[in-house]
Amino acid sequence: MSDVLQLSSRTTLTKYLNELVAARILIAAKDGREVFYINEDLIRILEGQ
């Protein structure tokens, strides 16, 4: 994602991702120390194809 947004700051990327979580566009799923951001609507659409 940092390549797409042309950002290198992990703090800034996390802020943007958390704003998407707050807007209910993504959900955050933690696995150990890693956090994955998931777009459940997109997954449902792709599973339906």
Side-chain angles (χ1 to χ4, degrees):
M1 182 166 172
S2 61
D3 295 342
V4 173
L5 296 176
Q6 296 180 346
L7 296 172
S8 61
S9 169
R10 184 177 180 100
T11 303
T12 303
L13 289 170
T14 301
K15 177 185 171 216
Y16 289 161
L17 289 167
N18 286 331
E19 287 178 11
L20 293 171
V21 169
R24 296 184 176 171
I25 295 169
L26 299 177
I27 63 164
K30 192 166 185 174
D31 183 20
R33 290 179 27 171
E34 298 295 323
V35 178
F36 297 92
Y37 295 91
I38 303 164
N39 183 324
E40 287 185 323
D41 292 331
L42 179 58
I43 291 172
R44 273 191 226 99
I45 290 168
L46 294 173
E47 287 176 341
Q49 292 184 358

